[in-house]
Amino acid sequence: MRFAAAALIALVSLSASAKETVRLAFVGPLTGGNSAIGLGGRNSADLAVRLRNADAKAKYQYELVVLDDECKPDAGVQMATKAGSDRTVVAGVTHYCSVVAMATVDTYHRFGLPTIVWGAVLPDITYANDFKEIHRVNGTMINQNEANAKLVTAQGYKRVAIIHDTTDYGKGHDKYFTQFLKQDGGEVVGDFGVTADQQDFTAELTQIKALNPQALYFGGLTPIGVRIRAQMDKLGLKAQFDGTSGIVNDDFIKALGPLAEGCLAFREGAPAERLPGGKQFLADYNKQGYTNPPEAYGPFAYAAATLIMDAIEKVGPDRKKVIKELANVKDRDSIVGKITFDEHGQNTVPAISRYVVQDGKWVLWEDSEYASGKRKLPGK
């Protein structure tokens, strides 16, 4: 009897101390041409969850529900519907691809699911609607293209041709780069829209070669960026290749090999090792034995998951309360720097980093031999 009573007391004590499980969704491209970025984001959000679960002070136990949007709007809406309709999912860390993020905002709004975008850069994701559910920790393509145009023109590239995909993502980059290039004294000598699954760019690149631009600006993601850069070489088009955050990943360099050398690109945030708490993030990440690196946007996914869990710890696992709490994020420290959400849920303090490929790696422009003058960019 004593043993039975002791066992009952232990069982009651264990039940009382057991933490409630709270589920968070991660949504990103885990298959297809942009999967490297998606897997890095998933691992980084997973790391945030693992570290929180290891914290004895945490009120809740967290579980990450991982969903693949394939970087396709239809798949993204399906995954957003799956997450939003599951009432055990309290919030989401969502999307790298802008076309997917834009396609899903209505779904998250309809289900009242608070989300924090971790990589997509189209401004309309946060600014086109008054959806209190939608937040974003990274900056937008407006910030990217302002920095891009300044560097390109400062290097003496005034005559620029543009190729962009015809998704909202590509058209947005085209719009803002053109705007800032003209402000900085540059000229768009030709502007070509291509489909996101196009394979052959001979017609566009032949026309561009005849225009004799000093640089070719590319507004799109890695898969077609690789094809365009490779076909430029085959046609003898020597213009400087200048891209967006959509190509800042290891896969771009792996696919092109030596042809990636000297390519320019721009994205939010600094390299992980230079971010506030970045070295600790990388150390923790490496301890987990993930088979993929965090890639460029992993730290943003980590920051998004951390913000969501901070909100839940404060107000509980209630969607409406989490939405209200995220609206109060002001001057919050994170591994990507200070985060302040404006009335649209957009982080207002994004920092843009400039990159160039040097010896098979993305290197900060200011640290490169191209910036020091030791090496010369193509087309100069």
Side-chain angles (χ1 to χ4, degrees), residues 294-308:
E295 291 285 2
Y297 283 89
F300 290 97
Y302 178 94
T306 300
L307 279 177
I308 288 171

Side-chain angles (χ1 to χ4, degrees), residues 235-272:
L235 290 171
L237 177 54
K238 302 297 184 183
Q240 168 66 41
F241 188 90
D242 173 39
T244 70
S245 58
I247 65 169
V248 185
N249 56 71
D250 292 342
D251 279 1
F252 180 82
I253 297 173
K254 288 176 184 176
L256 285 170
L259 290 179
E261 182 70 24
C263 288
L264 295 171
F266 302 74
R267 74 164 176 86
E268 296 78 19

Side-chain angles (χ1 to χ4, degrees), residues 30 40 44 75 78 91 134 157 185 205 290 292 305 318-319 326 380:
L30 305 178
S44 301
Q78 290 177 12
I134 310 300
Y157 298 124
L205 292 174
Y290 297 119
N292 304 85
D318 180 287
R319 291 182 179 184
L326 290 176
K380 295 197 73 174

Side-chain angles (χ1 to χ4, degrees), residues 55-341:
D55 184 355
K57 296 179 181 178
K59 296 177 182 177
Y60 304 96
Q61 181 80 11
Y62 294 92
E63 177 187 337
L64 196 65
V65 179
V66 178
L67 302 170
D68 182 10
D69 66 25
E70 304 175 40
C71 197
K72 297 177 181 178
D74 289 348
V77 171
Q78 290 177 12
M79 295 303 102
T81 301
K82 186 173 183 178
S85 61
D86 184 346
R87 301 309 298 184
T88 69
V89 173
V90 177
V93 179
T94 58
H95 309 304
Y96 165 70
C97 298
S98 287
V99 290
V100 182
M102 195 65 220
T104 56
V105 291
D106 289 321
T107 303
Y108 294 127
H109 174 61
R110 179 159 50 90
F111 284 108
L113 182 70
T115 66
I116 301 183
V117 173
W118 58 272
V121 296
L122 187 72
D124 281 357
I125 294 164
T126 43
Y127 289 125
N129 304 284
D130 185 23
F131 291 166
K132 302 304 182 185
E133 296 83 2
I134 310 300
H135 310 80
R136 175 165 41 190
V137 284
N138 59 290
T140 74
M141 59 178 59
I142 298 175
N143 314 106
Q144 276 186 33
N145 284 293
E146 183 175 15
N148 193 328
K150 277 185 169 59
L151 180 61
V152 167
T153 54
Q155 297 308 304
Y157 298 124
K158 301 294 185 180
R159 292 172 46 79
V160 182
I162 295 175
I163 292 184
H164 64 90
D165 71 42
T166 51
T167 67
D168 287 343
Y169 175 82
K171 289 188 288 187
H173 274 299
D174 176 39
K175 172 185 174 181
Y176 293 111
F177 179 77
T178 298
Q179 173 187 323
F180 290 115
L181 182 73
K182 290 179 178 178
Q183 285 181 15
D184 293 331
E187 174 191 3
V188 176
V189 297
D191 193 320
F192 301 84
V194 297
T195 61
D197 59 355
Q198 189 165 324
Q199 301 294 315
D200 186 0
F201 302 91
T202 303
E204 292 86 358
L205 292 174
T206 299
Q207 292 181 67
I208 288 172
K209 186 177 180 180
L211 295 170
N212 195 31
Q214 296 167 301
L216 188 152
Y217 171 88
F218 167 64
L221 301 175
T222 293
I224 62 171
V226 167
R227 294 195 283 272
I228 289 171
R229 177 65 190 94
Q231 291 172 36
M232 284 173 63
D233 184 66
K234 289 182 179 179
L235 290 171
L237 177 54
K238 302 297 184 183
Q240 168 66 41
F241 188 90
D242 173 39
T244 70
S245 58
I247 65 169
V248 185
N249 56 71
D250 292 342
D251 279 1
F252 180 82
I253 297 173
K254 288 176 184 176
L256 285 170
L259 290 179
E261 182 70 24
C263 288
L264 295 171
F266 302 74
R267 74 164 176 86
E268 296 78 19
E273 63 272 14
R274 298 197 183 190
L275 292 169
K279 290 183 178 179
Q280 185 62 52
F281 164 76
L282 289 174
D284 291 335
Y285 190 98
N286 293 331
K287 285 179 185 176
Q288 301 301 322
Y290 297 119
T291 55
N292 304 85
E295 291 285 2
Y297 283 89
F300 290 97
Y302 178 94
T306 300
L307 279 177
I308 288 171
M309 289 185 289
D310 286 347
I312 293 170
E313 289 289 312
K314 186 173 181 180
V315 302
D318 180 287
R319 291 182 179 184
K320 290 182 179 179
K321 291 180 180 178
V322 170
I323 292 170
K324 289 182 179 180
E325 179 59 26
L326 290 176
N328 296 326
V329 171
K330 298 287 185 289
D331 203 32
R332 187 77 58 84
D333 287 322
S334 81
I335 69 163
V336 297
K338 297 284 188 181
I339 295 176
T340 293
F341 289 139

